[in-house]
Amino acid sequence: MAPSLVLAGARVVLPTGIVNDGRVIVEGTRIAGAAPPDARVVDVGGHWLVPGFVDIHNHGGGGASFSGTVDEVLTAVRTHRLHGTTTLVASTVTDDMDFLVKQAGLLSELAEQGDLAGIHFEGPFISPCRKGAHSEDLLRDPDPAEVRKLIDAGRGKARMVTLATELPGGLDSVRLLADHGVIAAVGHTDATYEQTVEAIDAGATVATHLFNAMPALGHRSPGPVAALLEDERVTVELINDGTHLHPAALELAFRHAGARRVAFITDAMDAAGIGDGRYMLGPLEVEVAEGVARLVHGGSIAGSTLTLDRAFQRAVTVDGLPVEDVVAALSANPARLLGMADRVGSLEPGKDADLVLLDDGFAVKGVMRQGAWVVAPQLP
């Protein structure tokens, strides 16, 4: 086994705060509490050391989709790892139920191998009024029997299902998901405030990309946004790419939900890490221009081309959020949601050695996953 590694001299972001001139000790695949005498010391002064990022809502990247083959799925995983995402949940898009069941089997095998942290089903149980980049012809009401079919197809690796909980069967489906330890997420919904409160009381705990694909906050009809922001049981997803959210909306979410209830996500599609061009999102064609993905027919925003390192950089340098709050939103909070906080999400002894090295401008300079460099730092 390689000798223990000490990364020394960085500003280390821990659950207790920022430690200047700190160090992180890596022994094998884990973070250690003490270094043996023969440990190799690497000076990473002038850098930040933060936990590996955890993305709970991601459809692909590197020109590949999580609706594709094993090779395509692994291409997308590798693409996001290069940008600091060391724990990733694969999201599907609305499709034929038979295809979703088959794909769940493929994704669950990769989750069993440790390549993925699980599966998120976004659709088909969503509102046609708020479908976004989902094929309306394939949408359906959330029949608990069909929801259960997807859970079973995931073989214990289904982590989250996004639902329009106001549709027939919605509340019963939320209860089913909660009973099976799967996150019920309110999203692509036309629900009222009152209906959203009902869904939360039934067991929904996540807001799928808050503000997007749901009614706007109104002073007489506050809709789902108010209900999701005000309830301490709910974690709100935010896509911080400068396109999906106005900075004031981001600030509103952080102010009212608090840093412990925000999870930054990418909602990335195939173009993440690649660039402009034509792509497919499920059965729909997407045009990416200047980094913004929109449906060719209809013009709806179709996911994003975001990577979590860019979300981090924007949150600190543009939005002015404290680094500790951004780290919580990118790592600790989503790890806790997934029930993986004992392994990932923070730099603590005993946890996986998943970490990201950032320069003063918060650009990625190194990525480690389970003690092995995915992006090896080029240090003086």
Side-chain angles (χ1 to χ4, degrees):
M1 188 172 72
S4 297
L5 176 67
V6 179
L7 300 171
R11 282 166 287 185
V12 181
V13 183
L14 301 175
T16 52
I18 297 171
V19 177
N20 293 310
D21 195 21
R23 64 181 199 161
V24 173
I25 302 162
V26 177
E27 189 169 350
T29 62
R30 301 293 178 91
I31 296 171
D38 65 343
R40 184 164 67 95
V41 179
V42 176
D43 182 7
V44 290
H47 291 78
W48 292 85
L49 264 179
V50 301
F53 309 143
V54 180
D55 196 351
I56 60 172
H57 186 156
N58 186 319
H59 297 281
S65 163
F66 292 126
S67 296
T69 65
V70 168
D71 286 345
E72 289 169 334
V73 170
L74 292 177
T75 293
V77 169
R78 284 191 292 268
T79 297
H80 286 281
R81 283 185 187 167
L82 295 175
H83 294 273
T85 298
T86 51
T87 301
L88 188 149
V89 174
S91 301
T92 62
V93 295
T94 295
D95 213 311
D96 177 84
M97 280 293 291
D98 288 342
F99 174 81
L100 290 174
V101 167
K102 179 182 176 183
Q103 194 65 13
L106 181 152
L107 295 173
S108 67
E109 287 184 16
L110 293 174
E112 287 162 4
Q113 292 171 197
D115 296 299
L116 297 169
I119 309 165
H120 163 219
F121 298 100
E122 188 180 23
F125 311 116
I126 60 176
S127 171
C129 303
R130 305 286 174 177
K131 65 182 183 298
H134 291 256
S135 177
E136 186 167 354
D137 294 343
L138 295 169
L139 300 183
R140 57 185 68 210
D141 290 338
D143 178 351
E146 292 199 315
V147 174
R148 175 64 187 269
K149 189 175 181 181
L150 289 184
I151 296 173
D152 290 345
R155 301 201 307 246
K157 299 302 180 181
R159 294 285 178 258
M160 183 162 66
V161 178
T162 292
L163 306 158
T165 55
E166 76 278 10
L167 296 176
L171 293 179
D172 285 340
S173 294
V174 168
R175 295 185 187 101
L176 172 75
L177 291 166
D179 287 345
H180 284 80
V182 179
I183 297 165
V186 177
H188 288 276
T189 176
D190 205 39
T192 63
Y193 172 88
E194 292 77 14
Q195 288 171 324
T196 307
V197 169
E198 276 191 287
I200 297 167
D201 287 339
T205 57
V206 165
T208 292
H209 42 54
L210 187 74
F211 299 110
N212 297 116
M214 60 181 63
L217 182 65
H219 64 291
R220 291 194 183 93
S221 178
V225 172
L228 294 162
L229 278 177
E230 72 184 8
D231 199 299
E232 292 293 324
R233 294 170 290 182
V234 177
T235 298
V236 298
E237 295 182 348
L238 298 176
I239 308 170
N240 192 28
D241 61 354
T243 298
H244 281 79
L245 296 175
H246 189 282
L250 183 82
E251 182 183 2
L252 177 74
F254 264 90
R255 184 183 300 274
H256 287 273
R260 282 185 55 80
R261 291 207 292 119
V262 172
F264 279 141
I265 61 164
T266 60
D267 194 17
M269 45 80 71
D270 301 26
I274 293 290
D276 293 353
R278 290 248 174 151
Y279 299 87
M280 298 300 294
L281 184 60
L284 302 178
E285 192 173 11
V286 174
E287 176 81 28
V288 178
E290 297 182 357
V292 178
R294 294 186 180 275
L295 291 182
V296 171
H297 302 292
S300 291
I301 292 177
S304 86
T305 62
L306 188 63
T307 50
L308 283 182
D309 58 334
R310 285 173 44 215
F312 191 124
Q313 192 173 46
R314 180 181 176 85
V316 177
T317 63
V318 177
D319 303 311
L321 294 172
V323 172
E324 305 97 309
D325 289 354
V326 177
V327 168
L330 284 166
S331 302
N333 299 345
R336 186 176 62 250
L337 266 179
L338 295 175
M340 298 178 67
D342 60 328
R343 285 184 45 210
V344 300
S346 60
L347 300 177
E348 296 177 275
K351 294 192 178 183
D352 289 355
D354 292 356
L355 55 87
V356 182
L357 189 69
L358 304 166
D359 66 14
D360 273 339
F362 300 97
V364 170
K365 294 300 176 182
V367 179
M368 177 180 285
R369 183 174 187 270
Q370 295 182 1
W373 290 111
V374 178
V375 177
Q378 300 298 311
L379 300 170

